[in-house]
Amino acid sequence: MTNRKFFNIKTRKFFNIKTMAKVSILAVIAFILMEFDFPIPFIAPSFYQLDFSEVAVLVGGFAMGPAAAVAIEAIKVLLSCLFFGSGTAFIGELANFVMGCAFVLPATMIYSRHKNRRNALIGMIVGTVSLMVIGAVTNYFVMIPAYSFFFNLPLETIVSMGAAIIPAINSAFMLVLLCTTPFNLIKGVLVSALVFILYKHISPLLHR
């Protein structure tokens, strides 16, 4: 089978009504989970909020492939923008989408090659590492400057929020290194653990 025929088959499979309905339902679930966010005060400043929306995204990606994961992630962020707007000119929402994809794309791509528990675990480990790296870059170059600009907070004030938790923090780089990266590690581990436990029970519903 040629690559073009394979792509056409995969595209038709993805854009059928049943698959799009599943993507939509999971996106709504992810959107709802996204709104139940909370800080981890002993790890990072309060503007870092942990949520479990990627559980729904990753479950959908494992069941229907990487394209479905990206679609669920995009719809989730779009719904958040439509219902609640943005306090950062949508830069925060874009960063959320980028970091979400950084986590779920490697995981679902690895799992889609051979769908077994070993590849699921490897995929989620790689996804967590990717989230930590992309999250660090995104926060340093986008999120922290955006919070500083849109909330009229001097960079030193943001850094001091991190220093109140970890005194060694004295710059934006150290804030990302000592707060953002561990925060994303915890998020990746918790989301992965939940998906690892739940997926076997949920997947039959998504394969009907």
Side-chain angles (χ1 to χ4, degrees):
M1 182 182 294
T2 65
N3 289 335
R4 185 173 181 180
K5 287 182 179 179
F6 177 77
F7 176 78
N8 288 337
I9 291 171
K10 296 291 285 185
T11 302
R12 287 197 299 270
K13 184 177 180 181
F14 178 73
F15 283 105
N16 67 58
I17 294 175
K18 184 181 289 188
T19 300
M20 294 306 294
K22 294 174 185 176
V23 165
S24 300
I25 291 169
L26 286 169
V28 171
I29 294 172
F31 161 65
I32 294 170
L33 291 173
M34 184 182 180
E35 303 314 314
F36 288 94
D37 54 359
F38 56 92
I40 309 179
F42 57 89
I43 293 293
S46 59
F47 58 83
Y48 287 107
Q49 299 282 319
L50 176 65
D51 67 74
F52 292 106
S53 61
E54 261 65 54
V55 171
V57 180
L58 193 53
V59 165
F62 277 174
M64 295 175 284
V70 174
I72 295 167
E73 189 74 44
I75 296 170
K76 174 199 80 172
V77 173
L78 179 61
L79 287 173
S80 180
C81 292
L82 288 174
F83 279 90
F84 300 108
S86 174
T88 60
F90 303 103
I91 293 174
E93 287 71 23
L94 177 61
N96 184 286
F97 173 74
V98 170
M99 288 188 287
C101 288
F103 176 54
V104 301
L105 266 181
T108 54
M109 290 174 69
I110 291 171
Y111 180 72
S112 64
R113 294 176 182 175
H114 297 287
K115 294 189 175 184
N116 54 46
R117 291 172 68 89
R118 178 177 177 274
N119 268 17
L121 184 59
I122 292 172
M124 289 187 290
I125 291 172
V126 174
T128 299
V129 173
S130 175
L131 172 63
M132 292 165 64
V133 173
I134 301 300
V137 173
T138 303
N139 272 267
Y140 186 76
F141 290 105
V142 180
M143 287 300 296
I144 293 175
Y147 272 105
S148 177
F149 179 81
F150 288 104
F151 291 98
N152 197 27
L153 288 173
L155 183 59
E156 294 77 12
T157 301
I158 296 175
V159 171
S160 69
M161 294 178 183
I165 300 169
I166 303 173
I169 294 173
N170 56 15
S171 66
F173 175 79
M174 293 301 291
L175 176 65
V176 168
L177 181 66
L178 299 180
C179 287
T180 307
T181 304
F183 179 89
N184 284 330
L185 172 62
I186 290 172
K187 179 174 182 175
V189 169
L190 289 178
V191 170
S192 297
L194 284 171
V195 173
F196 199 76
I197 293 168
L198 297 174
Y199 182 70
K200 184 178 179 180
H201 304 287
I202 297 173
S203 62
L205 299 174
L206 298 173
H207 287 102
R208 289 180 178 176

